[in-house]
């Protein structure tokens, strides 16, 4: 079965607690392969995708 290459860009509040949540945000881009064409969402998303520990790879940015 062919695989579909997926790229997700995710944004959230700042990872570092000392940063102002109004002025800062965190961002994470993930790339994965899946066999179906459905957009992963909530508990239907693959366990590996859901288990990414946001705090480790995400980067904080100032708006």
């Amino acid at each position: 079965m062919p695989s579909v290459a997926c790229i997700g860009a995710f944004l959230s509040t700042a990872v570092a607690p000392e940063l102002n949540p109004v002025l800062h945000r965190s961002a994470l881009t993930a790339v994965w392969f899946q066999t179906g064409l459905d957009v992963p969402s909530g508990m239907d998303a693959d366990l590996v995708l859901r288990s990414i520990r946001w705090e480790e790879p995400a980067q904080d940015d100032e708006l």
Side-chain angles (χ1 to χ4, degrees):
M1 180 176 275
S3 293
V4 178
C6 303
I7 300 172
F10 305 96
L11 300 175
S12 186
T13 58
V15 175
E18 67 273 7
L19 296 177
N20 183 330
V22 175
L23 297 177
H24 295 86
R25 64 178 182 193
S26 61
L28 174 66
T29 300
V31 179
W32 68 96
F33 295 92
Q34 63 185 40
T35 55
L37 296 176
D38 297 333
V39 175
S41 177
M43 297 307 287
D44 293 333
D46 186 275
L47 179 60
V48 175
L49 185 59
R50 290 185 295 145
S51 64
I52 294 174
R53 296 190 53 162
W54 183 274
E55 298 83 8
E56 293 173 13
Q59 299 290 315
D60 288 330
D61 293 313
E62 186 173 359
L63 298 175

